[in-house]
């Protein structure tokens, strides 16, 4: 790409020229002095291969603010960035998406109950410094490698959708590194899942589900399609009976009961939802709530099937007992596991293959590296169990780590290798606040017990649903989205769900 | 595709079985009796190639409602469908999108002033019969051919985005056919326009512009990019100074002045908008308004360039005088012309290559075929000039034709070849109500003269902007979207534009 060809020239020229500017654009000056070539970071000799292969942000100087690099923009990373004192630190976020997804409400966007935008929160709203402060940045990129020895991360820009731009490599020096890369949907090695099923973890997944569902509804109305094909095309199968799978099934049955019956009268009797789970649905909830959920889902037309998926083919899946289940839409939500990138990192690991951390969320054996959220787990040596992959865990860890890093920064330990003597204070302790899940038809479950064995309050029904909605509404990050979610709910109530396929 | 393999079996089986059902599911019975194989439509002999290649909706019987087939779901087709009396007719719409786009507000969605959903209106809301009545349908398909002799249209399902489903062919018999296929963006044969520029006619165009703009804003912040590249990447070029081009430029400059300055501080000085027009901008408006628009746009940072584009390359375009204009985003809005499909139709044509119509919007020489909107133009023999490709022309024609068809239906001329003796009444007469365009910074132009030479009211400034917003708000089709547009505007005013790239 012509215009991207000589990107590197900038770094060298600017570093050189900025040192001669002394009077004006102070901000620009500071900004540019960060940019440096990869070569200068490593001090390659002249005999090494062309040294200017990529550029980056060089190490901070002692008279500059230390730099926290955050990998990821999920619950953990965003809560951390929100809490960082930007008077103490510069914040650099590297993530393939410029927003946080409010995951508990994602299932509602697939059927038009909520708009996609209402559940996406731009990072620049969560931490405005990222777009305003001269030394803070957001980079739309993936991290491709860590060099903990040199306090460096290697990145690769994301340019999907714009096929005229080549990806670009760069490196960033960190003073503190926070790995908050989340997890990946587990497929348990089952063939065909990645090719034919849709996950439900990102906004684009919800968009894909929506487009597919509406396409199938319209295709099934086309002249010439047989009864059997129609039924297959309109068979929505959800694999995994955790909160996501159950909430999506509930939303889908609401959509069918209210909107499909009204707006797709020709095919309304052909659409069905099946939820496949190997064990029990909502296993983290108490028995009474589970029974209630089972009864309610069945009542609203969701077929619950106990089974293990063996193989996934283009229009059908095969269960362990050999039976075939044809589908038109397949949503996969069987839980998450460490990503390939996390697995590939040369860092200590927790049971289950996550990045191993100590009680202060530090990655031992390396300096200035922390890991939070679904990508991290307590090391066996801490004697603590690995925490579940929940938004509330990630959020609590982000909050804790922000205040820990602020404390370190205030004590003068912000720069690389400078925190050794700082007193860290209390370790991170997780207290479970309870679980919630909606099951459709204005009903939800609220389980306020601290663990499965503990005693405590558990609710099911309309009041729970009201608690569920209120709780999430107050947790939505910005006032803008809080307002939009409320408006979306009200509009859906009055006008029904939107069915335009855009 | 396995499940699509034996679609045709349905038709035969159902037609056969439905005749034996006499007591119950009357609706289903009626519904299925419409389905028939293509073979039976044509009465092929046994020696012809396999007769059951595709299925379709066969001719209506005399005791059934006549069927209007509408090709397209733009302003003309949707206004027509809204006005059709579904007690007289069954309505079948064939279109590659299941919604109408409220085009005057499309430019606002590119920068997040409005949500995409707020400008898309599902056809099932415009004409509910389409999803409820047993003989009315919406088919997500493209029309691939007309057989006016046999009163047949040939179609092809649209399955973009769902790569597991093969397109499917079918045919529909019509009693009345309304061609409302709209027009295509003109490229004037300039190389590279289709490959590198984005049009602004559909919601997916607006989505593409938005994704590209946000991507460029983020990419330009990545370490290592030179000043020059940054400027190229953030150079937004709009070609065409009609209302769409001007409105988009205005929206973009508002976005830059308010939102980019606040949320992309690092790169705010690099983003620029250039509007290239071969003649004068907003040529349909009066001199005073044009001068006002020019002044306002210049004031808000839009560079106006008089020039003719000769060639479009991946990251730059070349003007007639040989000068090169590098760009990061190129939006093309130089007007519209007949589509390839319209050009290919063996029907009389108007000057400019549109489908030729008489004063009653009929296509002469063939029976029961009408054409409205941008795809149609008065025949030279009518002595009338071809009307401009405007939403208000299309809408007025749709409304007129709906009442004409209702009149024909009431007079018993609804079925194929049955309208010969029906008195048609007054021909269609177009009265121009004026033009409006917003130019950003809470300013707009309102020109209420009936033609360029006539006298009348013309306004420019904040009051016009208020008129512009109010006028369009009241024209938005449904209460749901009217409510959403108002809410979107209020939110943008309070919180700024949304910048999440989803």
């Amino acid at each position: 790409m012509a215009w991207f060809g000589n990107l590197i020239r900038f770094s060298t020229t600017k570093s050189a020229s900025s040192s001669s500017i002394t009077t004006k654009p102070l901000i620009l000056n500071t900004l540019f002095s960060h940019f440096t070539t990869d070569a200068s970071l490593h001090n390659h000799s002249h005999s090494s291969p062309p040294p200017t292969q990529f550029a980056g942000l060089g190490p901070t100087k002692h008279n500059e603010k230390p730099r926290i690099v955050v990998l990821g923009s999920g619950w953990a990373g965003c809560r951390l960035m929100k809490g960082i004192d930007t008077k103490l630190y510069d914040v650099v976020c590297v993530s393939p998406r410029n927003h946080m997804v409010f995951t508990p409400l994602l299932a509602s966007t697939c059927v038009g109950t909520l708009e996609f935008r209402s559940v996406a929160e731009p990072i620049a709203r969560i931490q405005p410094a990222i777009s305003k402060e001269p030394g803070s940045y957001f980079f739309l990129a993936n991290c491709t490698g860590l060099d903990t020895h040199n306090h460096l991360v290697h990145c690769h820009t994301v340019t999907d959708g714009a096929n005229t731009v080549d990806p670009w490599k760069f490196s960033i020096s960190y003073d503190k590194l926070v790995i908050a890369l989340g997890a990946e949907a587990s497929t348990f090695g089952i063939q065909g899942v990645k090719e034919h099923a849709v996950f439900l973890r990102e906004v684009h997944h919800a968009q894909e589900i929506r487009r597919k569902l509406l396409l199938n509804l319209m295709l099934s109305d086309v002249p010439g399609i047989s009864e059997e094909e129609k039924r297959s095309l309109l068979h929505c199968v959800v694999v995994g009976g955790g909160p996501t799978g159950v909430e999506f099934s509930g939303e889908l049955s609401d959509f069918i009961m209210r909107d499909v019956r009204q707006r797709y009268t020709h095919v309304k009797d052909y659409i069905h939802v099946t939820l496949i789970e190997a064990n029990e649905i909502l296993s983290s909830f108490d028995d009474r709530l589970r029974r209630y959920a089972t009864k309610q889902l069945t009542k609203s037309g969701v077929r619950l099937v106990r089974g293990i998926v063996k193989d996934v083919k283009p229009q059908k899946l095969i269960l362990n007992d050999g039976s075939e289940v044809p589908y038109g839409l397949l949503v996969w939500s069987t839980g998450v596991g460490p990503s390939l990138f996390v697995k590939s990192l040369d860092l200590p690991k927790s049971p289950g293959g996550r990045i191993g951390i100590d009680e202060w969320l530090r990655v031992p054996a390396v300096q200035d590296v922390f890991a939070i959220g679904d990508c991290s787990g307590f090391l066996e040596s801490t004697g603590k169990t690995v925490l579940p992959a929940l938004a509330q865990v990630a959020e609590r860890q982000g909050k804790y780590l922000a205040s820990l890093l602020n404390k370190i920064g205030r004590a003068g330990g912000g720069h690389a290798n400078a925190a050794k003597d700082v007193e860290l204070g209390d370790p991170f302790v997780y207290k479970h606040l309870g679980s919630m899940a909606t099951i459709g038809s204005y009903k939800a479950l609220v389980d306020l017990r601290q663990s499965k064995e503990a005693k405590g309050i558990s609710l099911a029904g309309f009041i729970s649903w009201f608690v569920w909605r209120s709780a999430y509404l107050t947790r939505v990050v910005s006032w803008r989205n809080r307002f939009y979610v409320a408006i979306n709910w009200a509009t859906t109530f009055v006008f029904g769900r939107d069915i335009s396929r855009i």
Side-chain angles (χ1 to χ4, degrees), chain A residues 246 249-250 253-254 257 261 272-275 281-282 289-306 439-441 443:
Chain A
V246 167
S249 307
S253 75
D254 277 1
M257 299 229 283
R261 289 207 180 156
H272 291 290
V273 184
T274 300
L275 176 60
I281 64 160
L282 299 171
L289 296 186
R290 273 210 307 270
R291 276 198 305 276
Y292 180 84
T294 307
K295 208 180 103 195
Q296 278 302 326
L297 285 171
T298 311
K299 215 167 121 185
S300 47
V302 177
R303 201 163 62 109
L304 297 172
V305 171
R306 182 75 70 97
I439 48 173
S441 326
K443 298 201 169 53

Side-chain angles (χ1 to χ4, degrees), chain A residues 71-128:
Chain A
L71 306 180
S73 59
W75 281 90
C78 285
R79 185 61 190 84
L80 171 94
M81 286 190 272
K82 192 182 171 191
I84 291 292
D85 183 347
T86 53
K87 285 199 223 62
L88 294 170
Y89 289 102
D90 281 333
V91 181
V92 174
C93 177
V94 177
S95 172
R97 58 171 204 221
N98 81 338
H99 56 274
M100 184 195 129
V101 181
F102 194 85
T103 41
L105 296 180
L106 195 56
S108 308
T109 63
C110 302
V111 295
T113 312
L114 289 178
E115 304 291 320
F116 300 118
R117 269 326 152 64
S118 307
V119 302
E121 198 70 67
I123 299 169
R125 275 185 201 278
I126 295 172
Q127 177 48 272

